[in-house]
Amino acid sequence: GAVVSQHPSRVICKSGTSVKIECRSLDFQATTMFWYRQFPKKSLMLMATSNEGSKATYEQGVEKDKFLINHASLTLSTLTVTSAHPEDSSFYICSASTSGFVDTQYFGPGTRLTVL
Amino acid sequence: GEDVEQSLFLSVREGDSSVINCTYTDSSSTYLYWYKQEPGAGLQLLTYIFSNMDMKQDQRLTVLLNKKDKHLSLRIADTQTGDSAIYFCAVLNFNKFYFGSGTKLNVKP
């Protein structure tokens, strides 16, 4: 149980375009979903926390107009990278929590974004 | 914030023990975790330890916590080729996770 999927697993796009990444909890309802970004050989950095039906809470330094997060249902959250640039290339990982607390989160497999 | 540090690589022979180390900076961290990430898969929780414990054993896995030195380690006994993966330590501090950069464990047959 507690499976989280992400789609797509990898995406290549041109600079200036927008890319949407989906995060789904397949067999449970996720009160809260988290979005992380991982740079090569660096740790995962929390970008934002989203609760179903409300606005996401962004971490300091993360542009909310650049990284749009929507948590429309208890099983789906989306991250849209708007007007992507090469520096946005990264590995994006989502996680989902049943309790709303970060210590019960289940991670998706990640999405590799490459912006040309 | 919290800084969590891990070495990037570890190579061991099959059957040997592996020890993956992690250091952190904030002593008010409550829970400390070890996750395993295999290629193309999400982070899988292996084990965790509460900050008032100094050791936890779960089958082949032993977690040691030295709170004074802010040092966490994961020992894998009788390491198998299937243990090859990236291992992340993570620290929970005020309901936020802080991850290390991950240690890539390579197990040679």
Side-chain angles (χ1 to χ4, degrees):
Chain A
V3 177
V4 176
S5 70
Q6 280 185 242
H7 179 78
S9 58
R10 58 180 69 226
V11 56
I12 300 173
C13 69
K14 291 184 179 179
S15 188
T17 60
S18 293
V19 174
K20 181 185 284 189
I21 303 169
E22 290 185 349
C23 176
R24 291 182 187 272
S25 56
L26 298 185
D27 51 2
F28 66 99
Q29 293 188 323
T31 312
T32 305
M33 288 187 172
F34 303 89
W35 286 96
Y36 293 85
R37 182 174 178 177
Q38 185 182 22
F39 294 95
K41 299 180 182 177
K42 299 284 185 186
S43 59
L44 282 73
M45 302 295 294
L46 179 65
M47 298 174 66
T49 302
S50 75
N51 292 295
E52 185 263 338
S54 61
K55 288 185 179 179
T57 302
Y58 290 82
E59 294 300 302
Q60 194 172 7
V62 178
E63 298 174 62
K64 60 181 179 183
D65 295 329
K66 173 109 181 125
F67 299 99
L68 300 178
I69 292 172
N70 184 280
H71 192 161
S73 76
L74 285 171
T75 59
L76 173 65
S77 176
T78 59
L79 168 69
T80 302
V81 183
T82 62
S83 187
H85 289 280
E87 57 265 30
D88 299 324
S89 298
S90 195
F91 194 59
Y92 292 88
I93 300 176
C94 74
S95 69
S97 170
T98 55
S99 70
F101 290 100
V102 70
D103 61 333
T104 56
Q105 59 184 322
Y106 302 94
F107 287 85
T111 296
R112 171 74 61 193
L113 170 63
T114 303
V115 184
L116 302 176
Chain B
E2 171 94 70
D3 284 328
V4 182
E5 300 278 343
Q6 296 177 244
S7 54
L8 290 178
F9 299 101
L10 176 65
S11 185
V12 300
R13 290 209 174 275
E14 191 174 20
D16 289 349
S17 291
S18 308
V19 179
I20 302 171
N21 294 301
C22 174
T23 58
Y24 59 100
T25 55
D26 193 333
S27 58
S28 58
S29 302
T30 52
Y31 284 90
L32 302 100
Y33 301 78
W34 283 104
Y35 285 87
K36 177 183 181 182
Q37 185 182 36
E38 295 178 277
L43 276 71
Q44 173 197 353
L45 178 63
L46 285 179
T47 187
Y48 66 93
I49 190 168
F50 188 51
S51 59
N52 69 353
M53 299 167 64
D54 49 25
M55 187 183 98
K56 182 179 180 181
Q57 189 157 0
D58 184 1
Q59 299 181 339
R60 292 192 297 125
L61 305 178
T62 303
V63 179
L64 294 178
L65 174 61
N66 182 327
K67 201 173 177 184
K68 174 175 167 287
D69 293 340
K70 302 188 194 69
H71 182 268
L72 181 73
S73 68
L74 174 69
R75 179 177 179 270
I76 306 173
D78 187 26
T79 312
Q80 303 297 307
T81 54
D83 295 325
S84 292
I86 300 176
Y87 292 81
F88 290 89
C89 71
V91 174
L92 182 63
N93 193 325
F94 292 102
N95 207 36
K96 281 190 181 179
F97 258 46
Y98 297 89
F99 284 87
S101 55
T103 298
K104 187 169 185 178
L105 175 63
N106 179 43
V107 183
K108 293 178 282 189

